mmCIF file of all heavy atoms in Angstrom:
data_model
loop_
_atom_site.group_PDB
_atom_site.id
_atom_site.type_symbol
_atom_site.label_atom_id
_atom_site.label_comp_id
_atom_site.label_asym_id
_atom_site.label_seq_id
_atom_site.Cartn_x
_atom_site.Cartn_y
_atom_site.Cartn_z
ATOM 1 N N PHE A 13 107.738 -31.633 -47.395
ATOM 2 C CA PHE A 13 107.487 -33.053 -47.175
ATOM 3 C C PHE A 13 108.763 -33.859 -46.956
ATOM 4 O O PHE A 13 108.739 -35.090 -46.960
ATOM 5 C CB PHE A 13 106.706 -33.639 -48.359
ATOM 6 C CG PHE A 13 105.283 -33.166 -48.426
ATOM 7 C CD1 PHE A 13 104.897 -32.225 -49.373
ATOM 8 C CD2 PHE A 13 104.324 -33.639 -47.541
ATOM 9 C CE1 PHE A 13 103.586 -31.782 -49.442
ATOM 10 C CE2 PHE A 13 103.018 -33.198 -47.606
ATOM 11 C CZ PHE A 13 102.645 -32.265 -48.556
ATOM 12 N N GLY A 14 109.886 -33.175 -46.785
ATOM 13 C CA GLY A 14 111.132 -33.858 -46.478
ATOM 14 C C GLY A 14 111.717 -34.642 -47.623
ATOM 15 O O GLY A 14 112.419 -35.640 -47.405
ATOM 16 N N MET A 15 111.452 -34.228 -48.855
ATOM 17 C CA MET A 15 111.947 -34.948 -50.030
ATOM 18 C C MET A 15 113.094 -34.222 -50.713
ATOM 19 O O MET A 15 113.540 -34.634 -51.784
ATOM 20 C CB MET A 15 110.794 -35.150 -51.025
ATOM 21 C CG MET A 15 109.625 -35.948 -50.479
ATOM 22 S SD MET A 15 108.247 -36.032 -51.639
ATOM 23 C CE MET A 15 109.016 -36.870 -53.029
ATOM 24 N N GLU A 16 113.555 -33.146 -50.130
ATOM 25 C CA GLU A 16 114.635 -32.363 -50.733
ATOM 26 C C GLU A 16 115.918 -33.201 -50.782
ATOM 27 O O GLU A 16 116.343 -33.787 -49.786
ATOM 28 C CB GLU A 16 114.879 -31.089 -49.934
ATOM 29 C CG GLU A 16 115.869 -30.132 -50.583
ATOM 30 C CD GLU A 16 116.044 -28.861 -49.777
ATOM 31 O OE1 GLU A 16 115.574 -28.835 -48.613
ATOM 32 O OE2 GLU A 16 116.650 -27.902 -50.294
ATOM 33 N N GLY A 17 116.530 -33.274 -51.939
ATOM 34 C CA GLY A 17 117.767 -34.017 -52.113
ATOM 35 C C GLY A 17 117.573 -35.485 -52.424
ATOM 36 O O GLY A 17 118.543 -36.179 -52.752
ATOM 37 N N LEU A 18 116.320 -35.977 -52.343
ATOM 38 C CA LEU A 18 116.075 -37.393 -52.624
ATOM 39 C C LEU A 18 115.982 -37.675 -54.116
ATOM 40 O O LEU A 18 116.225 -38.802 -54.546
ATOM 41 C CB LEU A 18 114.785 -37.858 -51.936
ATOM 42 C CG LEU A 18 114.769 -37.807 -50.402
ATOM 43 C CD1 LEU A 18 113.422 -38.265 -49.870
ATOM 44 C CD2 LEU A 18 115.893 -38.678 -49.831
ATOM 45 N N LEU A 19 115.629 -36.665 -54.903
ATOM 46 C CA LEU A 19 115.454 -36.833 -56.335
ATOM 47 C C LEU A 19 116.456 -35.973 -57.085
ATOM 48 O O LEU A 19 116.937 -34.965 -56.557
ATOM 49 C CB LEU A 19 114.025 -36.440 -56.743
ATOM 50 C CG LEU A 19 112.885 -37.263 -56.099
ATOM 51 C CD1 LEU A 19 111.542 -36.670 -56.489
ATOM 52 C CD2 LEU A 19 112.975 -38.719 -56.518
ATOM 53 N N PRO A 20 116.800 -36.351 -58.324
ATOM 54 C CA PRO A 20 117.721 -35.537 -59.125
ATOM 55 C C PRO A 20 117.185 -34.124 -59.329
ATOM 56 O O PRO A 20 115.977 -33.876 -59.243
ATOM 57 C CB PRO A 20 117.792 -36.302 -60.456
ATOM 58 C CG PRO A 20 117.412 -37.699 -60.109
ATOM 59 C CD PRO A 20 116.418 -37.605 -58.992
ATOM 60 N N GLU A 21 118.079 -33.191 -59.603
ATOM 61 C CA GLU A 21 117.693 -31.782 -59.700
ATOM 62 C C GLU A 21 116.757 -31.495 -60.876
ATOM 63 O O GLU A 21 116.007 -30.523 -60.834
ATOM 64 C CB GLU A 21 118.961 -30.928 -59.830
ATOM 65 C CG GLU A 21 119.840 -30.943 -58.581
ATOM 66 C CD GLU A 21 121.033 -30.030 -58.719
ATOM 67 O OE1 GLU A 21 121.190 -29.433 -59.813
ATOM 68 O OE2 GLU A 21 121.809 -29.898 -57.750
ATOM 69 N N PHE A 22 116.825 -32.325 -61.922
ATOM 70 C CA PHE A 22 115.983 -32.059 -63.089
ATOM 71 C C PHE A 22 114.538 -32.496 -62.875
ATOM 72 O O PHE A 22 113.648 -32.127 -63.655
ATOM 73 C CB PHE A 22 116.550 -32.764 -64.333
ATOM 74 C CG PHE A 22 116.484 -34.267 -64.273
ATOM 75 C CD1 PHE A 22 115.353 -34.955 -64.682
ATOM 76 C CD2 PHE A 22 117.564 -34.998 -63.795
ATOM 77 C CE1 PHE A 22 115.287 -36.336 -64.639
ATOM 78 C CE2 PHE A 22 117.512 -36.376 -63.737
ATOM 79 C CZ PHE A 22 116.366 -37.051 -64.151
ATOM 80 N N VAL A 23 114.270 -33.285 -61.833
ATOM 81 C CA VAL A 23 112.919 -33.812 -61.617
ATOM 82 C C VAL A 23 111.901 -32.699 -61.373
ATOM 83 O O VAL A 23 110.813 -32.713 -61.977
ATOM 84 C CB VAL A 23 112.916 -34.834 -60.462
ATOM 85 C CG1 VAL A 23 111.476 -35.219 -60.084
ATOM 86 C CG2 VAL A 23 113.695 -36.078 -60.861
ATOM 87 N N PRO A 24 112.165 -31.700 -60.511
ATOM 88 C CA PRO A 24 111.177 -30.621 -60.331
ATOM 89 C C PRO A 24 110.832 -29.891 -61.626
ATOM 90 O O PRO A 24 109.660 -29.547 -61.853
ATOM 91 C CB PRO A 24 111.853 -29.684 -59.322
ATOM 92 C CG PRO A 24 112.770 -30.559 -58.559
ATOM 93 C CD PRO A 24 113.285 -31.557 -59.566
ATOM 94 N N PHE A 25 111.854 -29.677 -62.472
ATOM 95 C CA PHE A 25 111.571 -28.993 -63.739
ATOM 96 C C PHE A 25 110.704 -29.874 -64.640
ATOM 97 O O PHE A 25 109.760 -29.375 -65.288
ATOM 98 C CB PHE A 25 112.872 -28.633 -64.448
ATOM 99 C CG PHE A 25 112.667 -27.918 -65.754
ATOM 100 C CD1 PHE A 25 112.328 -26.579 -65.782
ATOM 101 C CD2 PHE A 25 112.791 -28.603 -66.960
ATOM 102 C CE1 PHE A 25 112.120 -25.925 -66.990
ATOM 103 C CE2 PHE A 25 112.582 -27.956 -68.168
ATOM 104 C CZ PHE A 25 112.246 -26.610 -68.176
ATOM 105 N N MET A 26 111.001 -31.176 -64.695
ATOM 106 C CA MET A 26 110.192 -32.080 -65.514
ATOM 107 C C MET A 26 108.759 -32.156 -64.981
ATOM 108 O O MET A 26 107.811 -32.194 -65.764
ATOM 109 C CB MET A 26 110.825 -33.468 -65.523
ATOM 110 C CG MET A 26 112.162 -33.544 -66.242
ATOM 111 S SD MET A 26 112.029 -33.064 -67.988
ATOM 112 C CE MET A 26 110.912 -34.313 -68.599
ATOM 113 N N LEU A 27 108.619 -32.160 -63.666
ATOM 114 C CA LEU A 27 107.271 -32.163 -63.086
ATOM 115 C C LEU A 27 106.535 -30.872 -63.411
ATOM 116 O O LEU A 27 105.320 -30.886 -63.670
ATOM 117 C CB LEU A 27 107.362 -32.336 -61.563
ATOM 118 C CG LEU A 27 107.785 -33.716 -61.055
ATOM 119 C CD1 LEU A 27 107.946 -33.689 -59.536
ATOM 120 C CD2 LEU A 27 106.767 -34.772 -61.453
ATOM 121 N N SER A 28 107.264 -29.758 -63.430
ATOM 122 C CA SER A 28 106.653 -28.470 -63.762
ATOM 123 C C SER A 28 106.101 -28.473 -65.184
ATOM 124 O O SER A 28 104.950 -28.092 -65.422
ATOM 125 C CB SER A 28 107.696 -27.362 -63.598
ATOM 126 O OG SER A 28 107.206 -26.137 -64.109
ATOM 127 N N VAL A 29 106.916 -28.932 -66.131
ATOM 128 C CA VAL A 29 106.490 -28.967 -67.532
ATOM 129 C C VAL A 29 105.358 -29.972 -67.722
ATOM 130 O O VAL A 29 104.372 -29.705 -68.441
ATOM 131 C CB VAL A 29 107.681 -29.303 -68.445
ATOM 132 C CG1 VAL A 29 107.217 -29.455 -69.885
ATOM 133 C CG2 VAL A 29 108.762 -28.229 -68.336
ATOM 134 N N SER A 30 105.471 -31.133 -67.078
ATOM 135 C CA SER A 30 104.442 -32.169 -67.221
ATOM 136 C C SER A 30 103.108 -31.703 -66.648
ATOM 137 O O SER A 30 102.048 -31.941 -67.238
ATOM 138 C CB SER A 30 104.890 -33.450 -66.514
ATOM 139 O OG SER A 30 106.087 -33.943 -67.072
ATOM 140 N N LEU A 31 103.154 -31.018 -65.497
ATOM 141 C CA LEU A 31 101.923 -30.512 -64.899
ATOM 142 C C LEU A 31 101.271 -29.455 -65.778
ATOM 143 O O LEU A 31 100.041 -29.432 -65.943
ATOM 144 C CB LEU A 31 102.217 -29.944 -63.515
ATOM 145 C CG LEU A 31 101.012 -29.454 -62.699
ATOM 146 C CD1 LEU A 31 100.033 -30.591 -62.461
ATOM 147 C CD2 LEU A 31 101.475 -28.864 -61.366
ATOM 148 N N ALA A 32 102.093 -28.587 -66.356
ATOM 149 C CA ALA A 32 101.565 -27.568 -67.268
ATOM 150 C C ALA A 32 100.893 -28.217 -68.471
ATOM 151 O O ALA A 32 99.789 -27.823 -68.875
ATOM 152 C CB ALA A 32 102.682 -26.636 -67.716
ATOM 153 N N ALA A 33 101.554 -29.225 -69.046
ATOM 154 C CA ALA A 33 100.994 -29.916 -70.216
ATOM 155 C C ALA A 33 99.705 -30.638 -69.853
ATOM 156 O O ALA A 33 98.726 -30.603 -70.618
ATOM 157 C CB ALA A 33 102.015 -30.901 -70.774
ATOM 158 N N LEU A 34 99.699 -31.303 -68.696
ATOM 159 C CA LEU A 34 98.515 -32.054 -68.280
ATOM 160 C C LEU A 34 97.323 -31.129 -68.083
ATOM 161 O O LEU A 34 96.230 -31.382 -68.610
ATOM 162 C CB LEU A 34 98.813 -32.818 -66.994
ATOM 163 C CG LEU A 34 97.658 -33.625 -66.406
ATOM 164 C CD1 LEU A 34 97.225 -34.710 -67.363
ATOM 165 C CD2 LEU A 34 98.042 -34.213 -65.057
ATOM 166 N N GLU A 35 97.504 -30.038 -67.336
ATOM 167 C CA GLU A 35 96.392 -29.125 -67.075
ATOM 168 C C GLU A 35 95.909 -28.452 -68.350
ATOM 169 O O GLU A 35 94.693 -28.326 -68.581
ATOM 170 C CB GLU A 35 96.815 -28.075 -66.053
ATOM 171 C CG GLU A 35 97.011 -28.612 -64.659
ATOM 172 C CD GLU A 35 97.338 -27.540 -63.644
ATOM 173 O OE1 GLU A 35 97.631 -26.398 -64.065
ATOM 174 O OE2 GLU A 35 97.306 -27.828 -62.438
ATOM 175 N N PHE A 36 96.845 -28.018 -69.188
ATOM 176 C CA PHE A 36 96.465 -27.329 -70.421
ATOM 177 C C PHE A 36 95.688 -28.262 -71.345
ATOM 178 O O PHE A 36 94.645 -27.881 -71.890
ATOM 179 C CB PHE A 36 97.714 -26.803 -71.123
ATOM 180 C CG PHE A 36 97.420 -25.924 -72.304
ATOM 181 C CD1 PHE A 36 97.138 -24.578 -72.133
ATOM 182 C CD2 PHE A 36 97.418 -26.442 -73.596
ATOM 183 C CE1 PHE A 36 96.860 -23.762 -73.221
ATOM 184 C CE2 PHE A 36 97.141 -25.638 -74.681
ATOM 185 C CZ PHE A 36 96.866 -24.292 -74.501
ATOM 186 N N CYS A 37 96.178 -29.488 -71.511
ATOM 187 C CA CYS A 37 95.518 -30.425 -72.421
ATOM 188 C C CYS A 37 94.177 -30.894 -71.879
ATOM 189 O O CYS A 37 93.207 -31.028 -72.637
ATOM 190 C CB CYS A 37 96.430 -31.621 -72.685
ATOM 191 S SG CYS A 37 97.859 -31.224 -73.718
ATOM 192 N N LEU A 38 94.089 -31.141 -70.576
ATOM 193 C CA LEU A 38 92.802 -31.530 -69.996
ATOM 194 C C LEU A 38 91.767 -30.423 -70.175
ATOM 195 O O LEU A 38 90.612 -30.688 -70.525
ATOM 196 C CB LEU A 38 92.966 -31.858 -68.511
ATOM 197 C CG LEU A 38 93.629 -33.189 -68.154
ATOM 198 C CD1 LEU A 38 93.770 -33.334 -66.652
ATOM 199 C CD2 LEU A 38 92.855 -34.358 -68.732
ATOM 200 N N GLY A 39 92.177 -29.176 -69.929
ATOM 201 C CA GLY A 39 91.264 -28.060 -70.129
ATOM 202 C C GLY A 39 90.849 -27.911 -71.580
ATOM 203 O O GLY A 39 89.678 -27.665 -71.887
ATOM 204 N N LEU A 40 91.815 -28.097 -72.477
ATOM 205 C CA LEU A 40 91.529 -27.991 -73.909
ATOM 206 C C LEU A 40 90.584 -29.096 -74.352
ATOM 207 O O LEU A 40 89.628 -28.859 -75.108
ATOM 208 C CB LEU A 40 92.844 -28.059 -74.689
ATOM 209 C CG LEU A 40 92.892 -27.386 -76.066
ATOM 210 C CD1 LEU A 40 92.640 -25.886 -75.943
ATOM 211 C CD2 LEU A 40 94.244 -27.633 -76.730
ATOM 212 N N TYR A 41 90.847 -30.329 -73.894
ATOM 213 C CA TYR A 41 89.985 -31.457 -74.242
ATOM 214 C C TYR A 41 88.562 -31.249 -73.729
ATOM 215 O O TYR A 41 87.590 -31.505 -74.437
ATOM 216 C CB TYR A 41 90.549 -32.744 -73.655
ATOM 217 C CG TYR A 41 91.668 -33.370 -74.444
ATOM 218 C CD1 TYR A 41 92.435 -32.621 -75.328
ATOM 219 C CD2 TYR A 41 91.981 -34.713 -74.305
ATOM 220 C CE1 TYR A 41 93.465 -33.190 -76.044
ATOM 221 C CE2 TYR A 41 93.010 -35.293 -75.022
ATOM 222 C CZ TYR A 41 93.748 -34.527 -75.881
ATOM 223 O OH TYR A 41 94.761 -35.096 -76.597
ATOM 224 N N LEU A 42 88.457 -30.791 -72.469
ATOM 225 C CA LEU A 42 87.128 -30.591 -71.898
ATOM 226 C C LEU A 42 86.385 -29.476 -72.630
ATOM 227 O O LEU A 42 85.171 -29.573 -72.855
ATOM 228 C CB LEU A 42 87.251 -30.258 -70.410
ATOM 229 C CG LEU A 42 85.935 -30.133 -69.637
ATOM 230 C CD1 LEU A 42 85.166 -31.445 -69.664
ATOM 231 C CD2 LEU A 42 86.192 -29.713 -68.197
ATOM 232 N N PHE A 43 87.096 -28.431 -73.000
ATOM 233 C CA PHE A 43 86.458 -27.310 -73.698
ATOM 234 C C PHE A 43 85.858 -27.770 -75.026
ATOM 235 O O PHE A 43 84.723 -27.409 -75.364
ATOM 236 C CB PHE A 43 87.482 -26.206 -73.945
ATOM 237 C CG PHE A 43 86.890 -24.952 -74.532
ATOM 238 C CD1 PHE A 43 86.405 -23.953 -73.700
ATOM 239 C CD2 PHE A 43 86.818 -24.764 -75.903
ATOM 240 C CE1 PHE A 43 85.847 -22.797 -74.240
ATOM 241 C CE2 PHE A 43 86.268 -23.622 -76.448
ATOM 242 C CZ PHE A 43 85.774 -22.629 -75.616
#
């Protein structure tokens, strides 16, 4: 999407952890 270099390097890692937490907790809550 042409966003490489626009954000700090730690942002992808934070998005990775946040996405994992969001999906895991939503699944847990729904269960």
Side-chain angles (χ1 to χ4, degrees):
F13 289 105
M15 300 175 61
E16 187 178 12
L18 297 179
L19 299 174
E21 293 183 357
F22 67 87
V23 171
F25 180 77
M26 293 300 298
L27 289 175
S28 171
V29 175
S30 299
L31 184 60
L34 178 63
E35 290 184 348
F36 188 83
C37 289
L38 285 178
L40 206 62
Y41 279 22
L42 185 61
F43 186 89

